[in-house]
Amino acid sequence: MDHLNDWLDEWLLELAAGRPGNETIRVYRRSVDQFLTWLRTAYPAVTMPADLTHAHVRDWFAHLVDKGMADSTRRVRGIAVRKWLGYVAAEPDSGLEHNPAARLELPMPQPEPVPVISDDDLSTLLRSMSGGTFVDRRDTAIVRVLLDCGLRRAELVGINVEHLDVRHQTVTVTGKGSKVRAVPFGGRTALALRKYMRARAQRPQANGSALFLSTRADRPGARVTGGGVAEMLSRRAEAAGLTHLHPHQFRHTWAADLKGANMSDDQLERLAGWTTPTMSRRYGSHVADEQAREAARRLARGDRL
């Protein structure tokens, strides 16, 4: 097995055996595929691992810069190729003695400001959904679960009825890497869920496993999709006179609120399903920035002159 594509296929099998998330495998595959596509054009004679050098990887990375690729995306691409070539170099029969991407300098992108939703906008949104229809009660429950639990979109739509414990106000979700965690929610969310469950009991296929049901004519009683949640939030925000809202903004808002309440990084990581402190520190930085701005507003030295 000499060709580079064969080594990519084997590495992907190795990754799958370690049970990472499907999205991780997809991103890694796409990153290495893009590298190999570029390599076939730029260096057509390079077809086997033993042919690869650091210069090839360096030139590819420079090509990504010339294309104007964002630092964060280049970092992901570089990490994927480095991991792949590290696997190949570790195999004695590959002919590749050293990882040619080991010394590749990866950019460290500066985190963008965390987009959070104001309390006023959240109140406006919830008031606009205060009707008693099935859709109103479902959408209110979805918004409150997103706000109280900080779930990813896939985690939200993956909830089954048996995962919900309204009495003890917790929901069990499966996150990235098939990691399961229990997340608490407050009394108002529990009330919204109870009202939704009463309305859900009257729907077709109410005995199905999915907690949040679709109302689409071609999917009656089926599970709401991630795209459906995004469309609902966009539609609801427009109807309420708000700017566009997307599901992950609720996760941002939830995390920023908890950091603002002095929750430790370790506690936030456990609730959010993160495996590293990178994200919790990002939210802590956002809160510190906002606190600094508020302190400057209170001082308002120019107002005293």
Side-chain angles (χ1 to χ4, degrees):
M1 184 179 72
D2 295 328
H3 292 285
L4 292 170
N5 280 318
D6 293 331
W7 284 102
L8 172 58
D9 291 340
E10 179 175 312
W11 179 60
L12 291 172
L13 288 173
E14 170 78 8
L15 281 181
R19 303 197 176 196
N22 289 335
E23 179 65 13
T24 298
I25 293 178
R26 187 183 68 80
V27 169
Y28 281 2
R29 176 195 288 274
R30 183 172 62 187
S31 298
V32 178
D33 273 340
Q34 289 179 356
F35 169 63
L36 293 178
T37 298
W38 171 87
L39 192 67
R40 282 192 290 271
T41 300
Y43 295 97
V46 177
T47 60
M48 297 184 295
D51 299 330
L52 280 170
T53 68
H54 175 72
H56 297 132
V57 180
R58 182 197 61 210
D59 289 352
W60 166 67
F61 222 53
H63 165 72
L64 299 184
V65 174
D66 292 340
K67 284 180 59 178
M69 185 174 286
D71 286 353
S72 57
T73 306
R74 283 193 297 118
R75 181 174 178 83
V76 171
R77 298 287 184 269
I79 288 173
V81 169
R82 177 186 287 172
K83 286 178 178 289
W84 170 58
L85 290 176
Y87 172 82
V88 176
E91 292 296 308
D93 57 342
S94 71
L96 187 65
E97 296 184 0
H98 305 288
N99 182 351
R103 294 183 290 110
L104 185 66
E105 293 187 9
L106 301 176
M108 184 61 71
Q110 294 299 314
E112 297 178 359
V114 180
V116 299
I117 311 170
S118 70
D119 286 354
D120 286 344
D121 283 353
L122 287 169
S123 295
T124 299
L125 180 66
L126 288 168
R127 282 197 302 269
S128 73
M129 301 187 298
S130 58
T133 68
F134 169 79
V135 172
D136 286 332
R137 293 191 170 183
R138 183 202 63 185
D139 294 354
T140 298
I142 286 175
V143 166
R144 285 199 173 275
V145 168
L146 286 173
L147 180 63
D148 253 11
C149 302
L151 303 185
R152 300 178 179 95
R153 188 166 44 172
E155 293 169 348
L156 175 83
V157 300
I159 299 172
N160 290 336
V161 173
E162 64 267 23
H163 299 153
L164 184 66
D165 186 344
V166 178
R167 182 178 296 276
H168 296 96
Q169 298 179 195
T170 59
V171 61
T172 301
V173 298
T174 302
K176 291 184 177 180
S178 300
K179 293 183 179 178
V180 178
R181 69 187 190 280
V183 187
F185 51 81
R188 291 190 177 183
T189 298
L191 180 60
L193 284 165
R194 283 186 179 275
K195 291 183 176 182
Y196 165 66
M197 291 301 290
R198 287 205 311 272
R200 181 188 180 281
Q202 308 302 316
R203 302 297 293 182
Q205 299 182 7
N207 292 329
S209 60
L211 175 62
F212 293 116
L213 301 180
S214 173
T215 58
R216 282 177 46 176
D218 59 335
R219 300 170 43 99
R223 187 183 301 273
V224 166
T225 65
V229 172
E231 291 171 6
M232 179 274 288
L233 289 175
S234 181
R235 182 179 68 254
R236 289 290 194 176
E238 182 178 359
L242 303 174
T243 56
H244 176 70
L245 295 176
H246 60 80
H248 218 67
Q249 279 179 278
F250 288 83
R251 185 167 168 86
H252 290 317
T253 303
W254 168 82
D257 282 350
L258 293 183
K259 286 301 297 182
N262 296 318
M263 176 173 282
S264 71
D265 287 345
D266 180 65
Q267 290 172 326
L268 182 56
E269 288 155 26
R270 289 175 180 274
L271 287 177
W274 294 321
T275 56
T276 69
T278 302
M279 290 303 298
S280 56
R281 289 173 182 168
R282 179 186 176 192
Y283 289 108
S285 176
H286 165 80
V287 171
D289 288 345
E290 184 56 38
Q291 289 172 341
R293 285 190 288 268
E294 185 57 33
R297 291 188 192 103
R298 288 196 302 270
L299 284 173
R301 185 175 181 84
D303 290 350
R304 301 201 305 270
L305 301 177

